[in-house]
Amino acid sequence: MSAGAASDRRTWGFRAAIGRVYAAFLKELLQLRRDRITFATMIFIPLVQLLLFGYAINTDPKNLPTAVLIQDESAFSRSFVAAMRVSGYFDIVTAARSEAELDHLILSGTVQFGVQIPAHFGRDLIRGERPALLVVADASDPVAASGAVAALQGLTATVFSRELVGPAATRAPQPPPFELRIHRRYNPAGETRLNIVPGLMGTILTLTMLIFTALSVTREVERGTMESLLAMPIRPVEIMLGKIAPYLVVGGLQAGLILGAAKLLFDVPVVGSLGLLVALTLLFILANLSVGYTFSTIAKSQLQAMQMSFFFFLPNILLSGFMFPFRGMPGWAQSFGEILPLTHYLRIVRGIMLKGAGFVDLQTDVLALGLFALAAMGLAVARFRQTLD
């Protein structure tokens, strides 16, 4: 064979290989075009991650909701409250009328800080008696509270510089003319595990319950057993309840294992009612199972069901307050996070385990979680395909 013929043969072989690769490329492109859920997942998940990490994530939250209990109507009290506002870390949202009300606001999570200015604070300060000013911080999330606590401690040196003039100027130099007592409640040592471990129960249950249930109906379709199921005299809601009931039991076992590990391995307390925690955990599991079941009625394959589950799980873990302080996010991200069930469950589980919160303290989050579960179950039943077409 001549050199020219061999060269032509190699050229022809190379062109044929390029053609085969191009044909496979077109086939895969057409397949991807038909599988719109996969294509949307590939495009939107990186975009969502970029937007969330770029705009919504903030480890130094400001404008934290704060309640004040002012028992001394003096210029010093007004100056201290004004200095807190100017610092940018505190948003004075309410004025408590008693210590009990202030404690309830902290316990329920309505505010993250409570400031109590005692009676005769201004008079005692002028007399040089160094009165105490109490600041109560919800330190169940130590990352969210640390920046604001540092800002408070920085205020003590200069907060009364305009008031302590003339005869009172001798009270101005260091040390500060008053004592700032900061009570870090629920996690005084700032241990991260006390915040992370209870939250892990919510994230693990969200991921596993979503995936298990999202595969339930699509697995029936792919195995060809859906026809037999649809031929039975059974209603859609009965099918749904029958399918999610076993996973509800499995989820309860998972929660029990996590609680046991949290207590034995990480020494995380359960200060509140264990029965209430179990009941609300089952409600949370039911909400996630309903979402997963809805995905199973929409997806055409188990792969699509997995992709939809992950697409729902991503904002849950980023916008619920598990990885980053919830109040550090911008308003639009917080509004979106309030829709997610994990956001409310994290408040519930941390409230019961760390704070000893009761049903009355958690009623807003319980109501939101219950409404989400009902809406998800209603959508799942409405979406259920009574035929294979």
Side-chain angles (χ1 to χ4, degrees), residues 13-67:
F14 177 75
R15 289 178 178 174
I18 292 296
R20 291 192 295 270
V21 171
Y22 181 68
F25 166 76
L26 288 180
K27 173 186 175 299
E28 193 64 26
L29 193 63
L30 291 174
Q31 183 66 28
L32 187 61
R33 181 182 176 183
R34 295 190 187 102
D35 191 354
R36 296 181 180 179
I37 294 180
T38 300
F39 182 74
T41 302
M42 295 172 61
I43 296 298
F44 286 105
I45 283 185
L47 181 61
V48 168
Q49 287 178 317
L50 178 64
L51 292 176
L52 292 182
F53 279 98
Y55 289 104
I57 306 306
N58 177 19
T59 57
D60 185 24
K62 295 190 170 58
N63 297 314
L64 299 172
T66 304

Side-chain angles (χ1 to χ4, degrees), residues 129-387:
E129 297 178 7
R130 207 161 184 266
L133 191 151
L134 176 64
V135 176
V136 180
D138 179 355
S140 56
D141 186 351
V143 176
S146 59
V149 169
L152 268 177
Q153 293 170 335
L155 289 176
T156 57
T158 59
V159 64
F160 297 140
S161 57
R162 290 188 301 177
E163 285 76 15
L164 295 176
V165 294
T170 56
R171 306 297 178 204
Q174 295 288 352
F178 65 98
E179 180 184 359
L180 185 65
R181 295 179 182 174
I182 300 177
H183 289 181
R184 295 175 175 86
R185 290 189 181 175
Y186 317 124
N187 188 4
E191 299 180 61
T192 307
R193 62 184 173 82
L194 295 183
N195 180 63
I196 293 296
V197 174
L200 277 174
M201 184 161 67
T203 56
I204 292 172
L205 289 174
T206 298
L207 181 60
T208 55
M209 294 299 101
L210 276 176
I211 292 177
F212 291 158
T213 320
L215 299 178
S216 62
V217 173
T218 50
R219 183 168 54 242
E220 296 276 3
V221 174
E222 290 185 353
R223 291 179 178 177
T225 56
M226 181 59 76
E227 291 180 347
S228 300
L229 188 61
L230 294 174
M232 297 173 61
I234 186 171
R235 298 176 181 177
V237 66
E238 295 169 344
I239 295 177
M240 183 188 71
L241 293 177
K243 279 189 166 295
I244 68 176
Y247 299 115
L248 189 64
V249 176
V250 172
L253 293 175
Q254 279 189 336
L257 289 174
I258 297 170
L259 279 175
K263 179 63 178 177
L264 297 176
L265 301 180
F266 301 101
D267 198 26
V268 179
V270 181
V271 181
S273 169
L274 182 60
L276 179 62
L277 178 60
V278 171
L280 296 181
T281 298
L282 292 177
L283 177 62
F284 173 69
I285 292 172
L286 181 62
N288 282 291
L289 291 176
S290 301
V291 174
Y293 193 86
T294 302
F295 289 162
S296 72
T297 64
I298 298 173
K300 298 180 180 179
S301 66
Q302 294 187 58
L303 176 61
Q304 286 188 356
M306 290 280 290
Q307 292 168 341
M308 295 171 71
S309 298
F310 182 75
F311 197 76
F312 179 77
F313 177 71
L314 181 63
N316 267 273
I317 196 172
L318 292 179
L319 296 181
S320 62
F322 170 69
M323 294 184 64
F324 309 98
F326 183 81
R327 288 179 172 128
M329 298 185 296
W332 63 267
Q334 292 188 35
S335 299
F336 187 81
E338 292 288 351
I339 303 173
L340 304 173
L342 184 57
T343 301
H344 301 284
Y345 181 70
L346 289 183
R347 295 172 185 167
I348 290 171
V349 68
R350 288 169 178 167
I352 295 175
M353 293 183 68
L354 302 180
K355 304 179 182 180
F359 182 83
V360 175
D361 304 309
L362 303 170
Q363 57 184 338
T364 301
D365 293 303
V366 174
L367 178 61
L369 193 58
L371 291 176
F372 183 92
L374 288 175
M377 291 179 67
L379 181 60
V381 173
R383 280 289 314 172
F384 183 75
R385 295 187 293 258
Q386 298 192 48
T387 65

